[in-house]
Amino acid sequence: MPSAPIPHNDQERVAALKSYHILDTATEKDFDELAELASVICNTPIALISLVDKNRQWFKARKGITDSETDRALSFCAYAINKPDEILEVEDAREDARFVDNDLVTGDLNLVFYTGVPLVDENGYALGSLCVIDQERKKLNNMQRSALKVLANQVIDKLTLRRKVIELQEAQNRNLRLNKLLITKQQEAMQIIKNTPMAMALHTGIDMTIVFANDMMLNAWGKDEKVFQLPFNIALPELAALDFPSTMRRVYRTGIRYEQNEAHMTYSHFGILKQFYYNYAFTPLINEDGKVWGILNTAIDMTNVVRNRLAAESAEQQLRLAVQSADLGTWYINAQTREFIPSSKLKELFGYRHDDALSYEAALMQITEDYRAKVAAAVEATITQGEAYDIEYPIVGYRDKKLRWVRATGRLYKSGNDNETAHFSGTIADITERKEDEQRKNDFIGMVSHELKTPLTSISGYTQLQLVRASKNDDKQGQELAIKSKRQIDRMQALITGFLDVARITEGKIMLNKTDFDIAVIIKTVQDELLAIHNTHKLNFNFFEGVKIQADQDKVEQILVNLINNAVKYSPQGTVINIKCSTKGNDAFIAVTDHGIGVNDIDQTNIFKRFYRVDNTQTTLISGFGIGLYICKEIVERHGGKIGVDSKIGKGSTFWFTLPLLPVAEINNSHIHLKA
């Protein structure tokens, strides 16, 4: 049995076939329908869309057989591809020397009649054939041959369309792709229009009669299928008023494609006057004689895209104006290259002229030495880990040597496009005046607190003497007055101590006297003291022994007492307050949970700031200056720990903090057990 000659360009032909990414894919309805149609038109039991690979022929669609492929040596289609411009017709393979002993002829298939139309792509490569097969002698008539050619063209069209969708994946490119495919007969164009995911319509004649439009185009017009077969200006008077018919007629007369991007138009849409933005095109459809027989109208609704872009541009302009009005500096850092682009205002804050070059490294050098490493670390954490950037630091101007305090806030902006690099940008503001005001306030608080402490100590001493004297004289009323006075003096001393702590923290003078101890010692002490004081709530202590830390014992006790007192203060009488100590990873974890009024999301982000107080109807009558939680936060962070709150309004709050555990090597024979 002779094999079909191998085309001289077979290597390139096979490469072209593989570029369609069609081999060994699943069956597809469109191709199956074409094979079915070929079988019906040619009145044959078998019809195949056969693609000739290097060593096999593979069937994308098959009607009448179950095999999905055969050896190329047996393939009739291997002969058909040698003459891409001709139909291979074999009326009786039993009488053809090429096929008389072919297994497909002599075997179970009993192939007698074969006609195959080569599937030739736009580059002239014959990829395979659309063929019909019968077990008896047959000959097609001219109409059947013509129909088979048309179907073969549709197979190539679908293969081409499929490849372009895979390669391009963009609506605009689909538009260009369809424009090439629609240089066929009107019926073929209508089939493509119906199934394409783009607003499309077909117009014919000088009056631009609407032959067909898909659902997307009908929706864009605000019409239904009643507009079919009507002239454009009658079917769509709203759009005719926008001069579309004259533009379409010009395309019809000249054969020159017309397109517009983001064209703004206003018209009545389903009875409502609306504004739209469209990318649209009028593409001439040309017949075999080179004459325009119709117009393909394609459109992509860009309304949301344009509106979003305009909104973004407006927001950007407003932001730019806000930055200018607020006298803020800005910067941009490329996350990959670390390219640094400062604004003129930022240069001014760092003591540079507007036309001076300012690198990121040079900017860092203007930050005072005690803050420089902290700022650099914060920048790297934002760029590499996406952490929020909000930091205050002092700088010394490069030229004017002026000391300024600034606050810088920013974030990492990740690009949605894989080809674009993320960037870190933000704003920077001069807060020197605010810092000076804070310093003056702190100085005043420290001075007043020191001045108040001495007379208050004397008053406390007098009160204690009064209490002793009243006790000796069995003066019950005097004792009660002395005890009440002592309680108020203690409160005043606690307030003064808090203000002094604030001043020391601000000035960096707070001292930590760290020792190694079991945190259970503190919790037991607090438990004994507070259970005796607070009889309005049930305090439930739950903790481990053997949780050892290195910290300032007095200050850790101060934190815990503050959190428990707050829980008592902000929760109803008779409710339970749970105090829990456990370990989480390498940290001791202490939490105080109440069933009180709760803290909203906004207050949660500010509640640890200095002098911040939650302001609502439930807290109006509760005293405080907003320094307790601030002091707790500063103490915890100076120990290398973290502090936070988890809360829901009306459900209660859990205030927690962590402190680093002692390394295991430093803990000797720790025995941990639960205490209730």
Side-chain angles (χ1 to χ4, degrees):
M1 178 187 71
S3 297
I6 302 297
H8 70 280
N9 64 344
D10 198 59
Q11 185 174 351
E12 293 82 358
R13 184 195 66 79
V14 172
L17 171 61
K18 292 184 182 299
S19 73
Y20 286 85
H21 307 287
I22 192 70
L23 293 173
D24 298 311
T25 58
T27 58
E28 296 181 41
K29 182 179 178 183
D30 288 351
F31 292 101
D32 290 345
E33 288 178 346
L34 290 175
E36 179 76 28
L37 189 56
S39 172
V40 172
I41 291 173
C42 298
N43 193 26
T44 62
I46 300 173
L48 304 170
I49 296 176
S50 174
L51 302 172
V52 181
D53 201 355
K54 182 179 180 181
N55 298 312
R56 61 169 178 160
Q57 65 170 349
W58 178 79
F59 308 133
K60 175 59 183 173
R62 56 188 185 275
K63 160 70 176 176
I65 67 171
T66 58
D67 292 339
S68 61
E69 63 179 64
T70 67
D71 194 287
R72 180 171 175 173
L74 302 175
S75 172
F76 280 50
C77 296
Y79 283 89
I81 64 173
N82 279 282
K83 294 182 178 181
D85 299 329
E86 300 179 13
I87 298 178
L88 175 62
E89 295 186 81
V90 180
E91 295 181 20
D92 193 333
R94 297 168 299 186
E95 299 175 358
D96 193 312
R98 296 172 294 177
F99 309 112
V100 65
D101 58 351
N102 189 298
D103 289 350
L104 301 178
V105 177
T106 61
D108 293 340
L109 183 61
N110 192 26
L111 190 156
V112 175
F113 166 75
Y114 172 92
T115 294
V117 180
L119 299 173
V120 183
D121 73 2
E122 59 187 9
N123 295 316
Y125 293 112
L127 309 177
S129 71
L130 171 65
C131 61
V132 291
I133 297 171
D134 207 336
Q135 284 92 11
E136 60 183 31
R137 187 185 185 91
K138 187 183 293 289
K139 185 175 183 178
L140 299 184
N141 58 38
N142 290 335
M143 185 218 41
Q144 289 172 321
R145 291 190 191 94
S146 297
L148 209 55
K149 288 182 180 180
V150 170
L151 293 176
N153 287 338
Q154 290 197 28
V155 172
I156 284 294
D157 287 347
K158 291 185 183 298
L159 287 173
T160 303
L161 180 61
R162 189 180 184 282
R163 181 178 68 177
K164 290 181 180 290
V165 168
I166 292 174
E167 292 174 348
L168 302 180
Q169 294 294 317
E170 295 179 0
Q172 187 63 29
N173 291 331
R174 285 199 299 269
N175 184 16
L176 296 174
R177 180 171 66 254
L178 291 173
N179 286 340
K180 294 178 181 179
L181 295 175
L182 289 173
I183 310 173
T184 57
K185 293 184 294 182
Q186 178 178 342
Q187 184 60 38
E188 295 170 353
M190 290 171 60
Q191 291 175 357
I192 296 174
I193 291 171
K194 182 178 180 180
N195 294 288
T196 190
M198 179 187 296
M200 302 186 76
L202 179 65
H203 307 271
T204 59
I206 197 67
D207 61 356
M208 293 295 108
T209 296
I210 301 172
V211 177
F212 182 78
N214 64 7
D215 292 341
M216 292 184 70
M217 183 61 84
L218 290 174
N219 183 65
W221 288 340
K223 302 292 182 181
D224 56 27
E225 295 181 358
K226 293 178 182 179
V227 300
F228 291 175
Q229 309 308 320
L230 293 177
F232 190 98
N233 62 340
I234 294 177
L236 305 168
E238 305 90 345
L239 296 175
L242 301 178
D243 204 31
F244 282 110
S246 62
T247 304
M248 298 168 75
R249 282 193 290 270
R250 184 167 67 251
V251 173
Y252 189 81
R253 288 194 302 268
T254 64
I256 300 174
R257 186 173 184 269
Y258 178 86
E259 65 178 313
Q260 284 287 325
N261 290 325
E262 298 183 2
H264 184 206
M265 55 190 75
T266 303
Y267 59 90
S268 178
H269 183 263
F270 289 114
I272 302 174
L273 192 65
K274 294 183 179 179
Q275 295 188 49
F276 297 93
Y277 292 88
Y278 280 101
N279 289 352
Y280 71 90
F282 301 137
T283 303
L285 302 177
I286 303 173
N287 61 22
E288 296 177 355
D289 298 329
K291 295 182 180 179
V292 178
W293 62 268
I295 297 294
L296 179 67
N297 178 3
T298 59
I300 300 175
D301 188 350
M302 302 295 291
T303 305
N304 289 336
V305 174
V306 173
R307 285 176 177 169
N308 290 340
R309 190 185 68 242
L310 293 176
E313 290 174 353
S314 176
E316 184 178 354
Q317 179 65 21
Q318 292 177 12
L319 176 61
R320 188 179 298 111
L321 292 174
V323 168
Q324 292 175 354
S325 300
D327 202 22
L328 300 176
T330 60
W331 77 87
Y332 168 98
I333 298 178
N334 184 297
Q336 183 174 348
T337 65
R338 297 300 198 270
E339 176 190 11
F340 178 62
I341 303 176
S343 68
S344 295
K345 181 60 181 179
L346 185 145
K347 290 182 179 181
E348 178 186 326
L349 291 174
F350 279 74
Y352 283 77
R353 300 192 185 101
H354 294 179
D355 55 352
D356 284 340
L358 175 58
S359 67
Y360 171 65
E361 292 75 14
L364 276 180
M365 293 306 299
Q366 303 314 126
I367 301 172
T368 58
E369 187 173 355
D370 50 340
Y371 278 83
R372 191 176 302 147
K374 180 180 179 182
V375 174
V379 170
E380 286 304 308
T382 300
I383 293 176
T384 59
Q385 303 173 34
E387 292 187 5
Y389 183 75
D390 188 345
I391 189 169
E392 296 179 358
Y393 55 87
I395 53 180
V396 177
Y398 175 68
R399 293 186 183 278
D400 58 16
K401 307 303 178 185
K402 183 178 179 181
L403 177 67
R404 299 180 180 87
W405 273 88
V406 295
R407 180 187 179 191
T409 59
R411 54 168 289 197
L412 184 70
Y413 294 88
K414 295 182 178 179
S415 171
N417 189 335
D418 292 338
N419 296 324
E420 295 182 11
T421 305
H423 70 276
F424 169 39
S425 61
T427 61
I428 186 168
D430 187 341
I431 60 169
T432 306
E433 185 175 346
R434 193 196 83 193
K435 280 290 186 179
E436 291 174 349
D437 286 343
E438 289 179 358
Q439 186 60 49
R440 286 190 288 268
K441 184 192 301 181
N442 292 333
D443 291 344
F444 176 75
I445 290 173
M447 179 191 69
V448 171
S449 298
H450 278 293
E451 293 298 324
L452 288 175
K453 201 166 186 180
T454 299
L456 194 62
T457 301
S458 299
I459 294 173
S460 178
Y462 298 150
T463 304
Q464 289 176 359
L465 289 174
Q466 184 179 359
L467 179 60
V468 171
R469 185 176 298 170
S471 299
K472 287 182 177 180
N473 297 331
D474 197 23
D475 182 357
K476 301 295 184 182
Q477 185 176 7
Q479 287 180 345
E480 185 178 347
L481 289 174
I483 291 171
K484 289 181 178 179
S485 298
K486 183 65 168 61
R487 188 179 299 122
Q488 296 303 317
I489 291 169
D490 289 343
R491 288 187 61 197
M492 181 63 75
Q493 285 180 329
L495 286 174
I496 292 171
T497 300
F499 284 125
L500 286 173
D501 284 342
V502 170
R504 293 190 189 103
I505 289 170
T506 305
E507 296 172 3
K509 295 179 180 179
I510 188 169
M511 301 299 292
L512 298 179
N513 182 23
K514 291 185 178 182
T515 58
D516 298 348
F517 61 92
D518 190 331
I519 201 168
V521 174
I522 291 178
I523 297 179
K524 288 177 180 178
T525 301
V526 172
Q527 181 180 15
D528 293 339
E529 291 181 0
L530 295 188
L531 285 175
I533 297 173
H534 297 301
N535 54 16
T536 58
H537 295 70
K538 181 180 179 181
L539 303 184
N540 183 21
F541 288 83
N542 191 355
F543 60 94
F544 290 97
E545 289 184 351
V547 180
K548 295 188 177 182
I549 62 175
Q550 184 181 73
D552 186 315
Q553 188 168 335
D554 290 338
K555 287 186 169 50
V556 174
E557 181 179 334
Q558 178 183 347
I559 296 169
L560 186 57
V561 169
N562 188 292
L563 296 183
I564 296 174
N565 285 338
N566 278 352
V568 170
K569 188 187 300 184
Y570 292 101
S571 60
Q573 292 188 12
T575 58
V576 177
I577 296 172
N578 291 306
I579 301 92
K580 178 182 178 182
C581 174
S582 59
T583 59
K584 280 192 175 182
N586 296 322
D587 294 321
F589 180 82
I590 302 94
V592 177
T593 302
D594 64 54
H595 298 84
I597 61 178
V599 183
N600 64 41
D601 292 342
I602 295 176
D603 287 328
Q604 286 182 40
T605 61
N606 296 297
I607 201 165
F608 293 101
K609 293 181 179 179
R610 184 174 50 172
F611 302 126
Y612 185 86
R613 274 182 47 80
V614 176
D615 186 13
N616 57 48
T617 55
Q618 294 174 293
T619 61
T620 302
L621 300 178
I622 300 176
S623 62
F625 290 94
I627 60 174
L629 290 177
Y630 166 73
I631 294 171
C632 290
K633 173 177 176 293
E634 290 294 328
I635 294 174
V636 168
E637 291 182 349
R638 287 170 188 263
H639 279 86
K642 295 182 179 179
I643 191 168
V645 58
D646 302 314
S647 181
K648 288 186 178 180
I649 293 295
K651 301 291 185 180
S653 305
T654 295
F655 281 85
W656 55 266
F657 66 96
T658 65
L659 296 171
L661 292 170
L662 272 177
V664 175
E666 299 182 27
I667 303 177
N668 298 318
N669 301 320
S670 295
H671 180 66
I672 300 176
H673 60 277
L674 184 66
K675 300 285 286 184

